[in-house]
Amino acid sequence: MRSMKKILAGLLGLAMLGSFTACASDAGNEPANTTAAAGGDTTTAAAAESKLPSEEGEITIKISWWGGDSRHEATQNAINAFMAKNPNIKVETNFGAWSGWEDAMSTSFYAGTAPDVNQVNWNWIENYSGDGSVFLDMNTVSEYFDLSTYSESALNQCVVADELQAIPVSMTGRIFYWNKSTFDKAGIDTPKSLADLMAAGETFKTKLGDDYYPLALGEYDRAILMVYYLESVYGKAWVENGKLNYTEEEIAKGLEFIESLEAAHVTPTIATILGDGAESLDKNPKWMDGKYAGIFEWDSSASKFGKALNEGQEFIVGDYFKDMGSYQGGFAKVSLAFAISENTKYPAECAMLLNFLLNEPEGTAIMASERGIPLSTAALETCKSQNLLNEMVAEANGKVLAWVDYPLDTQFENAALKGNPDGVYYDVFGGLSYDEYTPAEAAKILAEGVTEVLNG
């Protein structure tokens, strides 16, 4: 089954690559997109000469992003508002689900065919533009994008090769979310501790049936949860000073923890989840129906899971587990960012678009908290003054930032590790779930894979 999964994922990646070449279609099974047209300060060394607007009259720029349906709708609405305000600028959009997205994007970055503006993961800056050749230095368009609305520390997160290569949108971390209705159906409270969660597995099985699980975890979810567990137990970052900070024996303990979740009927096996036949968990009928009653998800991405639930179900933010260990494990990171392609013909117009989406009241009111709680002080003020912040996102983000103690390694999300289906995480956690590896064998593979990536 794992081989078939790799074949299907590869075909999806090829299909997406075609969509990027055309820059006019979506990815995965997201709704097809059509193009609509309608009538500062710096933080690095001296900025290069500002880019001037085009004198061509009407121009076309292209933007890409991934996400769920609610993010797609908000972003398209904001882009339509931008085009209405700037009738000489036509914006073509390319969007889809996460599955296979990075593979297609990495190809387009290397080939120089990426859209003019791109939503990017934080680590993509270093991975794809470590020398500053792929993404534009935002200091060169500071006349059109107001950098003063961001703190220096926030912007510095996106400085690579002494260039500000992207604008961070928000900070995010992983936290538990629960379908309270399913727990009510089982006659128990949502978990407040690891002990609660472990006990819930048996309760779900006996009271609701074999198809019900209190938590659903894919391979990458398991990797992040394992690190949260290890940091809670051992009190040290996963990676420190560019080196893996855990022994194979310690990692094996983390993998045994993940195995224990399957054994206790807390989470379904990878084979079960793949057998559901859904492209992503939010589109899985078992999630929509409440049979899978929990997730461990980024606070900036959880809205799509709540909106995917069938009517009458209550989706709530959970808590970190104090009995996971003696330390506060877990990490926060720049949730995502927007970058302008270095080779765009229209840098000023791209910066104007981003400023509208991320800083200006009209655009930020539409975008609201679809990508997390805004780091832009201007956007945050707009959202607060108009009561636009998603209360659940704000609650989760507050819990994340108050709890986590550890930094995210810049290579944690490297495609060689995170890529589906060939990444190390998918090999390790899929193989462990399929009983192809013992925890010791999987720990060795994981340690060697992480070390190889860290060593470049």
Side-chain angles (χ1 to χ4, degrees), residues 123-317:
N123 67 308
W124 290 10
I125 305 169
E126 183 174 317
N127 291 348
Y128 302 122
S129 189
D131 61 354
S133 63
V134 173
F135 303 128
L136 184 74
D137 183 356
M138 292 299 297
N139 287 300
T140 65
V141 287
S142 60
E143 182 179 349
Y144 308 101
F145 186 94
D146 185 3
L147 297 173
S148 69
T149 64
Y150 291 81
S151 69
E152 183 174 354
S153 61
L155 292 177
N156 281 341
Q157 299 272 341
C158 295
V159 172
V160 175
D162 294 324
E163 294 183 359
L164 177 59
Q165 296 194 48
I167 300 298
V169 178
S170 58
M171 295 292 294
T172 188
R174 289 259 180 155
I175 192 169
F176 293 106
Y177 293 81
W178 309 112
N179 183 334
K180 185 176 181 298
S181 300
T182 303
F183 282 89
D184 289 344
K185 185 178 179 180
I188 57 176
D189 291 333
T190 55
K192 303 298 188 296
S193 66
L194 179 58
D196 289 346
L197 177 61
M198 299 301 284
E202 182 63 27
T203 301
F204 270 48
K205 183 177 181 179
T206 56
K207 290 192 174 181
L208 301 179
D210 287 344
D211 286 344
Y212 283 81
Y213 292 86
L215 185 65
L217 299 167
E219 295 94 333
Y220 185 52
D221 305 321
R222 295 172 188 225
I224 298 177
L225 183 58
M226 184 201 72
V227 170
Y228 163 37
Y229 172 80
L230 288 174
E231 290 176 342
S232 299
V233 171
Y234 293 101
K236 56 184 180 179
W238 175 242
V239 168
E240 194 167 63
N241 298 322
K243 295 184 181 298
L244 180 62
N245 208 21
Y246 284 79
T247 66
E248 289 182 17
E249 291 74 20
E250 290 169 337
I251 296 171
K253 293 294 183 183
L255 294 168
E256 289 170 2
F257 163 69
I258 297 298
E259 276 196 323
S260 74
L261 298 179
E262 282 191 2
H265 199 79
V266 169
T267 190
T269 64
I270 295 299
T272 298
I273 294 174
L274 291 178
D276 296 336
E279 177 192 25
S280 56
L281 182 58
D282 61 304
K283 299 183 184 301
N284 191 315
K286 290 182 181 177
W287 169 259
M288 298 175 184
D289 293 341
K291 290 182 177 179
Y292 295 162
I295 54 173
F296 187 61
E297 184 55 72
W298 302 112
D299 63 68
S300 57
S301 301
S303 296
K304 64 183 179 182
F305 290 92
K307 292 180 179 180
L309 290 174
N310 292 336
E311 188 175 353
Q313 299 183 77
E314 185 179 357
F315 185 58
I316 67 171
V317 182

Side-chain angles (χ1 to χ4, degrees), residues 1-18 28 99-101 103-104 107 419-423:
M1 289 182 67
R2 293 178 65 215
S3 297
M4 179 59 68
K5 178 187 174 190
K6 290 186 177 184
I7 292 171
L8 292 173
L11 291 174
L12 177 60
L14 289 174
M16 285 188 63
L17 177 58
S99 179
W101 194 261
D103 288 340
T107 300
N420 182 7
D422 296 321

Side-chain angles (χ1 to χ4, degrees), residues 24 37 51 54 85-86 95 121 126 134 144 161 184 203 209 227 231 238 268 309 319 331 343 415 417 432:
K51 311 294 185 182
S54 168
K85 186 176 180 180
N86 300 275
F95 58 87
N121 262 334
E126 183 174 317
V134 173
Y144 308 101
D184 289 344
T203 301
V227 170
E231 290 176 342
W238 175 242
L309 290 174
D319 296 290
F331 47 69
N343 61 358
L417 300 173
L432 192 69

Side-chain angles (χ1 to χ4, degrees), residues 123 126-127 408-415 417 425 453-454:
N123 67 308
E126 183 174 317
N127 291 348
L408 176 68
D409 165 52
T410 58
Q411 294 303 315
F412 190 87
E413 297 178 315
N414 187 292
L417 300 173
Y425 300 145
V453 167
L454 292 173

